[in-house]
Amino acid sequence: MEKRSEQELVRIAKLEKYRELGIDPFGQAYNVTCKSQDIKNKYKQYTHEELEAMNVEVSVAGRIMFIRKMGKASFFSIQDRDGYIQIYIRKDVVGEEAYNLFKLADIGDIVGIKGTVMVTQSGEITIKCETYTHLTKALRPLPEKFHGLTDVEERYRRRYLDLIMNEDAKRVAMLRPKIIRALQRYFDGEGFIEVETPVLQNIQGGATARPFITHHNALDANFYLRIATELHLKRLIVGGLERVYEIGRLFRNEGMDRTHNPEFTTVELYQAYGDLSSMMDICEGVIRYAATNVIGKELFKNPFNENSELIDISKPFRKVDMCEIIKEKTGVDFKNNHYTLEEATQIAKEHNITVEKHFTVGHIINAFFEEYCEATLIQPTFLCGHPIEISPLTKKDPKDPRFVQRFELFMGGKEFANAYTELNDPIDQKERFLEQLKEKDNGNQEASEMDVDFVEALEYGMPPCGGIGIGIDRLIIFLTESTSIRDVILFPQMKTR
């Protein structure tokens, strides 16, 4: 049986006292007419005398965060969704019965207050309580005010306490839906249709990642939790919807760190008759739109390095080629030298690059970029010129078929978006899937499977198309100047206690 602290036992003992007074310790519905911040904003310019003459009546509710009991009159503060507001309660105003009820209150209890707005001598907007209503008894004390939840793991595990004690946690939680709404407004304004596609899928495809596997009892078959929304959204392009996007959860059976959580949110968008250039315009446009309309600025801290330069999204984003930046950082020229796999493997070993069994020259090029270049892309940068082997759903570069028409957006040394001129040749697509199957046979558990239905859809004709995926969690990290994906997901995946 759980051992209770002395404070908890005292609080539990009070439950019977409430019931003796005919009060439900866990309360009923309560009519709230306004929020704390609205009251402060509306009446902060008035004097004590002006507010007294105005006789502004309000009804608020919230959690008690501070109490200063002073005999026949007391001050306390409550916290609602928008912030804090001070309450002044007098025995001769609310009556002896209500005042005695108030004296039973502990920090953490939830109460309702009806009264008039006033301002104290120190200039603090305050509600003079006329009716005090107990709503919910808190049986556990809150963490200490000045220490809060110092264990970071506990902050994420017990997010409800983090939201109570940490104003920045609540700020981020409330900004997240506003940022997502801004993305929707931007895409809707560009003529895109928001759609929904299946989370359970019988094919592992649309991205390179290890999936989660679950079992469908009625069909007696294994299904994957989707690792991407791409292949279903492209079917909608084939069907003639022309401009579609989906904001949704993806699931990848990968490690957890500051920028990775096994379930995360992305937006994927596809534009018929578009290409890589139109995806650059959309990517740059939507990030700047969300920044200016929700946050109100275009200069941000680097969330992944507090000592780094500020990141400026007001200027056109830089464009670089993967092979060119590898040459710049290492001197190795993969673009002009058509290395064999044996030659590329030797060069990789000389540069301390691990070459896995399924690697081709294209995989080695990508490994060079990740090792020597990725962390250097601090300002917004479109990285182009990816090898074909790591881009199975992308059109070839007509000038050099070793590479594809693709870009990734990097900021602060991290990837934020991935875009293609989409492959719409069903014959080429089938060949790419077959190459992925060979990789899987060679041990690459992240390789895609053959999606016969998708290839068949392409055979009916998909128009030339641009597509992009943007990591919403990472974008919110950036825009809120947080430091970890766990700060922007309300309930991140945690180890079992």
Side-chain angles (χ1 to χ4, degrees):
M1 188 174 179
E2 182 184 4
K3 186 177 180 181
R4 293 281 188 177
S5 69
E6 184 177 342
Q7 277 199 62
E8 290 170 354
L9 292 173
V10 169
R11 289 171 179 241
I12 290 171
K14 288 182 179 181
L15 296 179
E16 194 56 40
K17 294 181 181 179
Y18 282 103
R19 294 187 177 108
E20 289 173 1
L21 294 171
I23 304 293
D24 180 353
F26 302 104
Q28 305 297 332
Y30 186 81
N31 182 37
V32 175
T33 63
C34 44
K35 294 291 183 184
S36 59
Q37 199 59 47
D38 293 335
I39 295 170
K40 290 180 177 181
N41 291 341
K42 192 170 182 180
Y43 300 109
K44 62 185 178 183
Q45 72 271 30
Y46 294 104
T47 65
H48 177 83
E49 291 75 20
E50 287 171 333
L51 281 172
E52 196 170 57
M54 292 166 67
N55 193 36
V56 178
E57 295 183 349
V58 295
S59 177
V60 298
R63 187 182 300 275
I64 297 175
M65 300 300 290
F66 166 81
I67 302 177
R68 189 168 82 235
K69 295 176 181 176
M70 305 182 302
K72 296 182 179 181
S74 301
F75 284 97
F76 63 101
S77 68
I78 64 170
Q79 178 195 64
D80 63 12
R81 186 191 66 187
D82 295 349
Y84 298 83
I85 194 161
Q86 181 170 265
I87 313 295
Y88 177 56
I89 184 169
R90 289 174 57 99
K91 185 175 183 179
D92 60 354
V93 175
V94 299
E96 184 174 358
E97 186 177 322
Y99 198 73
N100 288 337
L101 181 62
F102 161 70
K103 289 200 292 184
L104 282 174
D106 293 299
I107 290 175
D109 290 358
I110 298 171
V111 299
I113 304 296
K114 291 180 182 176
T116 55
V117 181
M118 58 176 277
V119 61
T120 62
Q121 289 182 344
S122 63
E124 184 170 357
I125 291 292
T126 301
I127 299 172
K128 184 165 73 173
C129 180
E130 295 174 354
T131 305
Y132 174 89
T133 304
H134 170 84
L135 295 175
T136 302
K137 186 67 190 171
L139 301 184
R140 292 178 183 263
L142 296 174
E144 293 180 51
K145 180 175 177 59
F146 294 106
H147 299 287
L149 287 172
T150 54
D151 186 330
V152 175
E153 287 287 312
E154 284 303 299
R155 279 186 52 214
Y156 301 136
R157 196 180 300 278
R158 296 194 286 171
R159 180 67 86 186
Y160 47 91
L161 284 182
D162 191 30
L163 293 170
I164 294 169
M165 304 304 298
N166 182 353
E167 288 187 40
D168 195 59
K170 187 176 286 186
R171 175 188 71 89
V172 173
M174 294 175 70
L175 278 174
R176 180 185 177 103
K178 292 179 181 178
I179 292 168
I180 292 174
R181 297 293 178 274
L183 303 184
Q184 291 170 310
R185 286 196 303 272
Y186 182 86
F187 296 139
D188 292 347
E190 295 293 317
F192 287 85
I193 303 167
E194 186 172 11
V195 298
E196 294 175 296
T197 62
V199 171
L200 292 176
Q201 300 183 353
N202 59 1
I203 295 292
Q204 176 188 344
T208 302
R210 289 185 65 178
F212 287 94
I213 301 174
T214 188
H215 188 76
H216 193 301
N217 290 334
L219 297 176
D220 191 22
N222 285 341
F223 279 75
Y224 301 108
L225 299 183
R226 67 185 180 192
I227 59 174
T229 54
E230 177 167 347
L231 300 183
H232 282 89
L233 291 175
K234 285 182 178 178
R235 286 168 167 87
L236 299 179
I237 297 296
V238 172
L241 294 189
E242 293 191 355
R243 296 188 178 207
V244 296
Y245 73 94
E246 179 172 12
I247 295 174
R249 286 275 183 163
L250 302 182
F251 305 86
R252 297 184 181 178
N253 204 345
E254 57 190 15
M256 298 182 289
D257 57 30
R258 288 175 63 190
T259 59
H260 292 88
N261 192 65
E263 54 176 309
F264 58 100
T265 304
T266 68
V267 57
E268 283 198 45
L269 173 147
Y270 294 87
Q271 178 183 344
Y273 314 112
D275 62 4
L276 211 58
S277 177
S278 54
M279 292 304 101
M280 286 182 178
D281 292 341
I282 285 173
C283 183
E284 194 169 327
V286 74
I287 292 174
R288 195 171 293 127
Y289 178 87
T292 55
N293 284 273
V294 179
I295 310 300
K297 63 180 184 178
E298 294 180 316
L299 201 61
F300 292 86
K301 296 176 184 176
N302 182 347
F304 312 112
N305 183 355
E306 62 182 13
N307 299 317
S308 172
E309 62 195 271
L310 293 176
I311 297 174
D312 186 355
I313 64 168
S314 67
K315 302 170 185 176
F317 293 0
R318 175 188 174 207
K319 300 180 183 69
V320 300
D321 180 86
M322 182 181 282
C323 288
E324 287 177 5
I325 195 169
I326 290 171
K327 181 181 177 182
E328 177 187 314
K329 300 297 181 183
T330 70
V332 180
D333 187 353
F334 285 104
K335 179 74 78 173
N336 295 309
N337 294 315
H338 291 240
Y339 294 117
T340 64
L341 178 57
E342 185 178 349
E343 291 169 336
T345 299
Q346 181 59 38
I347 294 169
K349 289 179 179 178
E350 291 169 2
H351 287 79
N352 299 312
I353 299 289
T354 300
V355 178
E356 298 182 26
K357 181 180 178 181
H358 67 273
F359 270 22
T360 63
V361 175
H363 292 94
I364 292 171
I365 292 172
N366 187 59
F368 262 85
F369 168 76
E370 291 178 348
E371 179 67 26
Y372 291 103
C373 310
E374 183 172 344
T376 69
L377 302 181
I378 305 303
Q379 295 302 323
T381 302
F382 290 127
L383 175 78
C384 305
H386 294 67
I388 191 170
E389 295 94 331
I390 63 168
S391 311
L393 299 161
T394 315
K395 269 198 171 183
K396 295 175 183 175
D397 183 342
K399 298 177 183 176
D400 190 338
R402 295 177 299 163
F403 302 97
V404 296
Q405 298 176 53
R406 173 185 176 187
F407 76 73
E408 292 175 286
L409 171 67
F410 284 86
M411 296 190 294
K414 300 291 182 180
E415 178 204 344
F416 279 76
N418 188 15
Y420 308 149
T421 298
E422 301 296 340
L423 178 59
N424 62 344
D425 178 343
I427 299 170
D428 190 359
Q429 182 63 81
K430 185 174 182 178
E431 290 173 355
R432 305 276 191 98
F433 280 142
L434 290 171
E435 289 300 317
Q436 288 286 296
L437 292 177
K438 290 178 184 177
E439 283 193 28
K440 190 176 283 286
D441 289 340
N442 282 329
N444 184 4
Q445 296 181 347
E446 297 184 347
S448 298
E449 296 180 347
M450 173 66 73
D451 191 334
V452 175
D453 181 75
F454 176 64
V455 173
E456 181 180 312
L458 291 184
E459 290 179 351
Y460 283 95
M462 185 175 86
C465 183
I468 187 170
I470 301 173
I472 286 181
D473 302 308
R474 288 192 188 179
L475 182 58
I476 293 171
I477 291 173
F478 175 72
L479 294 177
T480 60
E481 296 179 312
S482 300
T483 58
S484 168
I485 196 168
R486 293 184 175 189
D487 293 328
V488 303
I489 295 176
L490 284 174
F491 297 100
Q493 192 66 43
M494 306 292 293
K495 293 179 181 178
T496 303
R497 280 195 282 198

